[in-house]
Amino acid sequence: MVTTPLLPQHDRKEKKFPVSPQQLCDLIDFKDASLLADLGGTRGICQSLQVDPTMGLMTDESFNPCYGVVQQHDTHGSFQERKHIFGRNEIPEAPKKTIFSLIWAAYNDQTLIMLSIASLVSLAVGTWEDNSINHPADEPKVGWVDGVAIIVAVAVVVITNAINDYEKEKQFRKLNAKKEDRPVKVLRGGIAQQVHIRQVVVGDVMFLEPGDMVTVDCVYIEGHNLRCDESTATGESKPVKKYTDQHGDCIIFSGSKVIQGVAKVVVIAVGVNSFYGRAMTLMRDAQDENTPLQLKLNILADQIAKFGFAAAGLMFGVLLLKLFVVSVIHHHWISTRELFSDLIGIIIQAITVIVVAVPEGLPMAVTLALAFATTEMLKDNNLVRHLSACETMGNATAVCSDKTGTLTENRMTIVSAGIAEIQFTQLADIGQWRYKVHPLALDLAVEAMAVNSTAFEGKGPDGNLKFVGSTTECAMIEFTQKLGFSYQHIRSSSNVVSVHPFSSEAKSMTTIIQIRENNARSPGRHGEYRQYTKGAAETILRHCTHFMDNRGRVRPFSNYARSHHEVLINQYAERSLRTLALAYRDIDQSTYRSFNPDDAPLENLILLGVVGIQDRLRPGVVESVQAFRRAGVFIRMITGDNIETAKAIAKESGIMTAGGVAMTGPEFRALSEEEQFRIIPRLQVLARSSPIDKTIVVARLKQLNEVVAMTGDGTNDGPALKLANVGFAMGITGTEVAKEASDIILMDDNFNSILQALKWGRAVNDGVRKFLTFQLTVNIAAVVVSFVSAVVSETSESILSAVQLLWVNMIMDTFAALALATEPLTEDLVNRKPLCKDSSLINWRMSRMIFGQAIFQIAVNLLLMFHGPVLFGLSTSTADKRVLRTMVFNVFVFMQVFNELNCRRIDDKLNIMRGIMRDYLFLAIQAFVIVGQVLIVQYGGLAFKTVPLSITQWICTVAIGSLSIPAGILIRLLPPRLSFLWSKNSDDEFKHTVSYARMRWECALEHAIKQVKNNQAFQRLLAATEPSNMEVMSQVRRARTTATTITIAEGQTGKV
């Protein structure tokens, strides 16, 4: 049999489509009925895409039906023209950054570039000096060491940063490796078949079922009661019903989820052309901003560079002046060659000062602190995507958190129930409660939960058994098991004849079964069928005309009985419980046949009872909220749940406090910008919110100069996550768009992990500040000692040699960065307020310690340099001069060793040893430095210009070096304000516009004013009453006075 293709052969070679991808994208973006009409509606789109809705696409783009048999074609080679024009259903991964590009990006740092220039100059001058004729023959040629050492330090920083970024990106790609890899059902060649999601092309006719995640843009063709959750795409929390193009909304966004119903749709956009794909692309194109710490470090680098060049310039000028003054005094005019040689020596000394002044350990400290923190944060279920977000989180002033799954477990549990007028309020009472409920009522309630549900028990991704389905239905199934029933046995014994899925309009779900002998008995059974209905308690209660009492009897609703159940429902709502009512009725065959198959029957129901379902708080949330409050961080709950439930959860967790404001998203959006600024400092709960509300809240808070952390999981949360200073995406429930837009991914969706991120952020900032305190003390002391000793020396030579300065300035700084920037977490991190974004990197406490220790070390070293021979009993011989230089070097080094203990704390507390036994890395590094110093002094004479010291000399130098600890104690005890030196400045701490204390006072004052007004109103009411009533009140007061007098008199008589 010869079949004639539907399309001509030349069209099969090069297809022409009357519609362009841009037109289809505009249809999705604007959702405009006129655009759809211009394309000819759904039928016109199918014709333009050359697809028959009843047959679907043919693999070879021809109409060649194989009745009942699917021909085997090369699916990878099919639809190439469609894929070329409309794109593939793939979202290309972001381009991988090579290790070389990461190295170049890490090197583009102001401090590192400045260090590189200094190293090249030092290397050139040092090499020239080593090979000059004036170089002493008895000294090693080590002038090149300074420059090479700085280059090595820069290389270590750059490579460490690059490797850290590379590993971070690899971790994120590994996280995204398990993307949706599932089949979908399409119609091709008239046969429904499953294909991989990536093989779907524009023009495919696809089937949608409840629970499907739609990853392509579609147009509705036909179906039954299709409702989609488009909240991740549009921000609307209410499910949207889809219709044919003549009757309503027929556009289905990618990123949507099918809530109920079934449908046949035609695909109009895939991959990067779909709504979901374009959102992902936009997120990848966003550029990162410099963080507050990076900005402050750049400013500090500029200041230190200016200080170093100023000191070097001053030293060059002083030594040059000294050269000419000495020549004039001795009447010896130096030759050109001598002048050139002396100038080179002076330049070398100046370059040495610059090298000493520049804090080459600073970028190393920042890198090590961030690398250590991000590694430890991963253990706390925080995957840091952007390294800078770690330190930014340390100064967060506001956290905007979701409720479901973040603050709560996202696991519904029935915690209270009232069946047939018998209630329990605690899960511990469930065993006794089940025997108090009438058996008929209990059997009917359990059967209603088991049959009128789609949840089931299956294996999860980890292979363990878990409940699958809506969280509410899973809670009911679990409840039946706790009562000792088997929902599988009940379902297998029941014959379900009709199901009306949950409807957001009716707020209920109904299932009709044909009654069998194995089904639960009902009092006064009449009929062959039974209807079970569950739903929102207040809605179901309105449809009930009877209820079952505690004796298992069906009684009509009286006003009292209805009020009693309404009070119970309100009590559950006030406890943040989701209330569901269970109802039933027996019906005969004629009544069953009269039902409308599209509308669930909701009349003449019999109420079985009400259950309260709770999404319990995660363990530790209350403690975490309290910790955030101690840390000066304002917590706001932004949720799509209703306001009463949100307020109850907020109060339970401690987020909602006295004076706080709770409102809905539409109410907040309706406010003017000025009103939003006025209300947002007190806003603690924003319910029924959309992703747009999140963006507005973040924008307003940032305009108030706050550092904002935001959580999100939906596709449309991307802009808010990107706008926030730190965006947290959910690792379990979050969409790929949310993860791409985020800075940190919560691998366990847990609010407690955000607190850990705050702690590590503050630990990073503290580590950098500790290292700065230590580093700048070393640099100031080394520069001044080198400068003064070079000026007063006859040979213009510093008492600390270049290699000694290398040990002090490079090795110790590098190890100090590793020791001080990698300390473990402590609870003290959350016992202080966050810092302002524009706060100084070096606060008054740090500056007091830096200058106090530097002055002390300079004084001690200069004292030893000038009076050392007298103090240590040394002569002026060359050998004793070398011993003195070695002792000064040893004292200087051990002053830094003991001062590093001082720098473990940057507050005014005196216990510098707190937690040191748990800080193993710090102890190991200190031991390494001490051992290294001993080896240098005793055996490094040739390179370091040292001589071995005696035991007595070692004890003296170490004892003098240990004086850094008592000096640090005295510095901490100095008054916070000292004229012309320093003054305590608390402006660095961030101050909220409205504090928790102020809200409490305002609430108390408002309550007092209200009480006064109520008393005044009561007095006016009494004054406005009739005189007889006033007289009665006066008589009552007189009677009370008389009774009191008699009582007192009787009491006194009794005592007599």
Side-chain angles (χ1 to χ4, degrees), residues 114-132:
M114 183 177 65
L115 284 172
S116 300
I117 296 172
S119 68
L120 293 176
V121 174
S122 176
L123 183 62
V125 174
T127 304
W128 184 90
E129 183 192 29
D130 286 344
N131 297 285
S132 68

Side-chain angles (χ1 to χ4, degrees), residues 50-59 63 70 79 184-195 200-201 203-208 221-222 263-267:
Q50 300 181 15
V51 59
D52 185 349
T54 62
M55 298 296 295
L57 293 175
M58 303 299 295
T59 306
F63 189 44
V70 180
F79 313 117
V184 293
K185 189 180 291 185
V186 297
L187 184 68
R188 288 182 178 175
I191 303 296
Q193 53 187 289
Q194 285 187 330
V195 299
V200 175
V201 296
D204 257 324
V205 175
M206 192 164 66
F207 297 100
L208 299 181
I221 299 176
E222 62 181 12
K264 184 163 69 172
V265 298
V266 59
V267 178

Side-chain angles (χ1 to χ4, degrees), residues 189-473:
I191 303 296
Q193 53 187 289
Q194 285 187 330
V195 299
H196 193 277
I197 186 65
R198 292 187 177 182
Q199 296 177 5
V200 175
V201 296
V202 171
D204 257 324
V205 175
M206 192 164 66
F207 297 100
L208 299 181
E209 298 174 351
D212 284 350
M213 288 295 299
V214 185
T215 55
V216 293
D217 295 328
C218 313
V219 174
Y220 183 89
I221 299 176
E222 62 181 12
H224 175 71
N225 198 27
L226 181 70
R227 295 178 187 272
C228 297
D229 178 9
E230 297 180 348
S231 58
T232 58
T234 65
E236 294 294 335
S237 58
K238 184 178 180 180
V240 181
K241 186 173 182 179
K242 299 300 176 180
Y243 305 88
T244 57
D245 55 348
Q246 295 92 359
H247 298 92
D249 182 11
C250 64
I251 304 297
I252 302 171
F253 288 106
S254 52
S256 303
K257 182 178 180 180
V258 178
I259 301 298
Q260 70 178 77
V262 294
K264 184 163 69 172
V265 298
V266 59
V267 178
I268 61 173
V270 297
V272 293
N273 293 324
S274 65
F275 179 87
Y276 177 86
R278 281 176 288 160
M280 286 288 288
T281 306
L282 288 175
M283 291 301 108
R284 286 173 179 168
D285 292 340
Q287 298 296 320
D288 294 333
E289 298 178 356
N290 282 334
T291 66
L293 181 60
Q294 290 171 334
L295 295 174
K296 292 173 187 175
L297 288 177
N298 289 337
I299 295 173
L300 181 64
D302 288 338
Q303 294 171 344
I304 293 175
K306 291 175 183 177
F307 166 74
F309 280 103
L314 179 63
M315 188 175 189
F316 179 81
V318 170
L319 292 179
L320 187 62
L321 179 62
K322 175 186 174 183
L323 178 66
F324 285 108
V325 170
V326 170
S327 299
V328 171
I329 291 175
H330 292 87
H331 303 287
H332 173 70
W333 299 102
I334 56 178
S335 64
T336 304
R337 181 176 179 179
E338 290 176 334
L339 177 63
F340 183 75
S341 177
D342 290 339
L343 282 176
I344 291 297
I346 294 172
I347 291 173
I348 290 172
Q349 294 289 339
I351 291 295
T352 303
V353 169
I354 293 178
V355 172
V356 171
V358 173
E360 63 275 0
L362 181 58
M364 173 72 77
V366 177
T367 299
L368 290 175
L370 289 173
F372 177 72
T374 51
T375 303
E376 293 299 312
M377 286 173 69
L378 191 58
K379 299 176 184 177
D380 293 331
N381 295 309
N382 285 289
L383 174 62
V384 180
R385 294 195 58 239
H386 298 147
L387 202 62
S388 57
C390 180
E391 55 90 4
T392 305
M393 186 61 198
N395 288 326
T397 62
V399 173
C400 302
S401 174
D402 286 331
K403 177 183 74 69
T404 304
T406 307
L407 292 168
T408 62
E409 295 178 339
N410 195 24
R411 183 173 180 268
M412 296 293 185
T413 305
I414 294 180
V415 296
S416 295
I419 303 296
E421 299 185 319
I422 305 298
Q423 300 179 33
F424 78 89
T425 56
Q426 295 182 355
L427 280 175
D429 302 332
I430 191 174
Q432 298 176 357
W433 171 83
R434 66 155 294 174
Y435 294 107
K436 294 179 181 179
V437 180
H438 196 279
L440 288 180
L442 185 64
D443 290 345
L444 286 169
V446 169
E447 189 170 87
M449 295 179 190
V451 174
N452 191 25
S453 171
T454 58
F456 61 94
E457 195 174 21
K459 287 188 177 181
D462 55 357
N464 296 324
L465 286 176
K466 59 180 294 187
F467 292 106
V468 180
S470 75
T471 53
T472 302
E473 293 186 343

